[in-house]
């Protein structure tokens, strides 16, 4: 369920009782979590080293396959109700963004015809507010195409990645191990996701975040009619090529503008909407999505080789460097606070490249599409 930001709907939503991010029970750190997190950091590094042996280049431990990178603008609504005027959305305005489409697994050579979760990440520039790293001015926002996260907490992550490393090349044996678990359906779901056009794919935060005073998850919803129609276009293994998703994306962005709605789902019931365990979907019928901003992406080349290399070799997406008012919450996000820098450090060392913390669009290579006024200038 989605709610418009007008009239009676918003009056109702404004009067609901939302969980404050500092309320008791929002976060509960279990015993041995720090040890589990450190073990996962080592596992991710092991995956990276294995991929290096295959490709002689080190990639991220997850979301290794770039499907496309685009530049655009995030437009924050100026007439949001008070309960949605939170964090970077307190005031209306426009922010330049650069966004990356990806496939979730850690293999950059993964065939697009194999159904797997897909990712989307955006770096939002010139965002004011107190940051975890005071030298940063951008806010990183990351998404996945499945609403629930199979790596639901640190303990689960350690167990599942261990199984994938050990049995990744033997799917029947891997499934035998997964079917012995109580979360079998959650773990096997990734292999049966709908393999469709990325431009039609809804993306989710999966995990919870601080949303100013409150706790929320967020999602990105394709909004143009052209994008919505592409949902019917699915990958056919016998007909399409191994890079069909990036081909489709490139063809779309050369011919069409894209538009997405950025929506938030506020937490009202910690038992029904757990923060620590990300394997449960927050019911959108009970806890509706509410729109706070629009992402606009004009026509452009979505597969610029220089930009792809710059992102993969030098950039890092990490919400833990951004706004304190959008603090990542729960076990999976505490894990990311350790794993992300560990993954980045190994990549820089093995590739001989330095990490570049990008603060403005001018630091990003490749042409920028014109978007009204002087917001984005064609280079």
């Amino acid at each position: 369920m989605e709610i418009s930001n007008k009239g009676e709907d918003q009056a109702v939503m404004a009067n609901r009782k939302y969980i404050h991010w500092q309320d008791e029970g929002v976060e509960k750190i279990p015993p041995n979590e720090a040890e589990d997190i450190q073990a996962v950091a080592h596992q991710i590094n092991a995956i990276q080293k294995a991929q290096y042996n295959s490709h002689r280049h080190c990639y991220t431990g997850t979301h290794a396959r770039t499907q496309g990178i685009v530049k655009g603008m995030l437009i924050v609504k100026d007439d949001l109700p008070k309960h949605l005027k939170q964090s970077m959305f307190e005031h209306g305005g426009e922010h330049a963004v650069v966004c990356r489409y990806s496939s979730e697994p850690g293999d950059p050579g993964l065939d697009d015809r194999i159904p797997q979760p897909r990712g989307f990440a955006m770096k939002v520039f010139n965002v004011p507010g107190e940051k975890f790293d005071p030298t940063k001015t951008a806010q990183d926002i990351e998404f996945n195409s499945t609403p629930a996260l199979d790596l639901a907490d640190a303990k689960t992550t350690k167990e599942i990645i261990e199984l994938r490393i050990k049995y990744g090349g033997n799917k029947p044996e891997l499934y035998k191990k997964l079917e012995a678990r109580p979360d079998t359906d959650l773990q096997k779901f990734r292999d049966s996701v709908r393999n469709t056009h990325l431009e039609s794919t809804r993306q989710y935060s999966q995990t919870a975040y601080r949303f100013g005073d409150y706790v929320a998850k967020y999602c990105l919803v394709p909004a143009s009619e052209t994008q919505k129609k592409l949902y019917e276009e699915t990958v056919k293994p016998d007909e399409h090529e191994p890079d069909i998703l990036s081909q489709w994306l490139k063809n779309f962005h050369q011919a069409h503008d894209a538009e997405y709605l950025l929506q938030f789902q506020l937490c009202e019931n910690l038992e029904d909407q757990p923060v620590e365990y990300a394997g449960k979907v927050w019911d959108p019928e009970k806890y509706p999505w509410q729109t706070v901003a629009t992402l606009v992406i004009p026509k452009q080349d979505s597969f610029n080789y220089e930009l792809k290399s710059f992102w993969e070799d030098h950039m890092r997406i990490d919400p833990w460097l951004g706004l304190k008012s959008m603090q990542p919450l729960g076990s999976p996000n505490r894990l990311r606070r350790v794993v992300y820098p560990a993954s980045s450090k190994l990549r820089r060392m093995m590739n001989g490249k330095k990490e570049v913390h990008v603060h403005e669009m001018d630091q990003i290579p490749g042409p920028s599409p014109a978007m009204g006024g002087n917001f984005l200038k064609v280079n």
Side-chain angles (χ1 to χ4, degrees):
M1 182 178 180
E2 297 165 11
I3 293 291
S4 69
N5 287 348
K6 296 179 181 179
E8 295 180 4
D9 285 342
Q10 278 306 319
V12 170
M13 297 306 296
N15 290 323
R16 293 172 75 152
K17 185 174 176 57
Y18 299 115
I19 298 292
H20 191 279
W21 76 278
Q22 289 182 308
D23 281 353
E24 183 178 355
V26 170
E27 289 193 288
K28 298 178 180 178
I29 302 177
N32 303 318
E33 183 183 79
E35 290 83 356
D36 289 339
I37 289 174
Q38 198 56 56
V40 172
H42 292 313
Q43 290 172 328
I44 293 296
N45 282 167
I47 292 171
Q48 291 176 283
K49 291 174 182 177
Q51 291 301 328
Y52 181 86
N53 286 336
S54 296
H55 305 282
R56 281 299 184 253
H57 194 85
C58 188
Y59 295 86
T60 56
T62 60
H63 296 276
R65 184 175 176 84
T66 298
Q67 300 291 1
I69 301 175
V70 292
K71 300 174 182 179
M73 176 165 54
L74 185 69
I75 305 169
V76 179
K77 295 166 65 70
D78 199 31
D79 60 348
L80 293 174
K82 185 178 179 181
H83 71 287
L84 296 180
K85 283 183 173 289
Q86 304 292 326
S87 185
M88 63 178 283
F89 308 100
E90 184 177 357
H91 304 288
E94 300 174 347
H95 301 272
V97 297
V98 60
C99 313
R100 175 180 181 255
Y101 299 86
S102 65
S103 289
E104 189 222 76
D107 180 4
L110 182 72
D111 192 316
D112 288 350
R113 295 170 296 188
I114 299 173
Q116 285 291 285
R118 313 299 175 186
F120 188 88
M122 60 182 178
K123 188 174 286 288
V124 186
F125 296 106
N126 299 314
V127 177
E130 185 180 5
K131 310 289 197 306
F132 285 102
D133 184 334
T135 67
K136 306 298 184 289
T137 60
Q139 178 65 35
D140 296 342
I141 306 178
E142 54 187 359
F143 305 83
N144 190 289
S145 61
T146 59
L149 177 60
D150 47 6
L151 306 178
D153 54 30
K155 181 176 181 293
T156 301
T157 302
K158 183 183 73 170
E159 294 170 352
I160 294 301
I161 292 183
E162 182 178 345
L163 290 176
R164 291 178 186 172
I165 290 173
K166 190 172 183 179
Y167 302 108
N170 186 344
K171 195 169 183 177
E173 191 63 28
L174 175 62
Y175 266 39
K176 187 184 300 182
K177 300 296 182 182
L178 295 179
E179 286 164 1
R181 295 178 55 89
D183 60 350
T184 300
D185 291 342
L186 176 66
Q187 299 305 330
K188 292 169 64 176
F189 179 71
R190 64 187 296 109
D191 294 330
S192 60
V193 294
R194 199 169 188 273
N195 203 6
T196 188
H197 200 298
L198 292 177
E199 208 54 50
S200 70
T201 302
R202 183 180 292 219
Q203 299 280 351
Y204 303 87
S205 68
Q206 299 183 312
T207 59
Y209 290 77
R210 178 182 173 186
F211 180 55
D213 291 336
Y214 306 120
V215 176
K217 291 186 178 182
Y218 52 78
C219 74
L220 201 62
V221 184
S224 76
E225 289 305 313
T226 304
Q227 289 167 270
K228 293 175 184 177
K229 289 176 182 177
L230 291 174
Y231 185 74
E232 301 306 318
E233 195 164 6
T234 57
V235 175
K236 298 177 177 60
D238 295 335
E239 297 179 18
H240 291 133
E241 297 179 5
D243 63 343
I244 186 60
L245 293 181
S246 57
Q247 286 185 35
W248 278 350
L249 207 59
K250 186 179 179 73
N251 292 340
F252 174 89
H253 281 293
Q254 286 178 334
H256 304 281
D257 297 338
E259 182 175 311
Y260 294 87
L261 301 179
L262 179 60
Q263 301 182 330
F264 279 75
Q265 183 184 34
L266 276 65
C267 183
E268 301 177 52
N269 183 324
L270 287 171
E271 186 173 331
D272 208 20
Q273 298 171 279
V275 170
E276 287 296 333
Y277 182 78
K280 181 178 180 180
V281 175
W282 292 3
D283 186 348
E285 293 298 320
K286 295 171 67 175
Y287 314 106
W289 293 103
Q290 303 177 68
T291 301
V292 300
T294 302
L295 172 63
V296 178
I297 302 170
K299 298 175 188 176
Q300 60 193 279
D301 179 5
S302 65
F303 209 88
N304 179 282
Y305 292 103
E306 183 183 14
L307 177 50
K308 175 182 179 294
S309 294
F310 181 81
W311 185 299
E312 292 178 348
D313 286 343
H314 300 288
M315 287 179 61
R316 170 174 151 204
I317 292 292
D318 189 347
W320 278 107
L321 300 177
L323 290 167
K324 291 186 176 180
S325 59
M326 287 190 69
Q327 176 180 328
L329 300 173
S331 181
N333 280 322
R334 291 192 296 272
L335 180 148
R336 289 167 176 166
R337 193 173 195 177
V338 174
V339 170
Y340 281 10
S343 169
S344 179
K345 182 179 179 180
L346 183 66
R347 273 196 293 156
R348 312 314 165 192
M349 182 190 73
M350 296 188 78
N351 294 332
K353 305 288 186 179
K354 292 184 178 180
E355 185 168 290
V356 177
H357 290 288
V358 179
H359 300 287
E360 56 188 14
M361 188 67 82
D362 288 346
Q363 294 176 264
I364 303 287
S368 292
M371 289 192 62
N374 295 319
F375 186 80
L376 291 176
K377 300 177 181 177
V378 175
N379 295 330

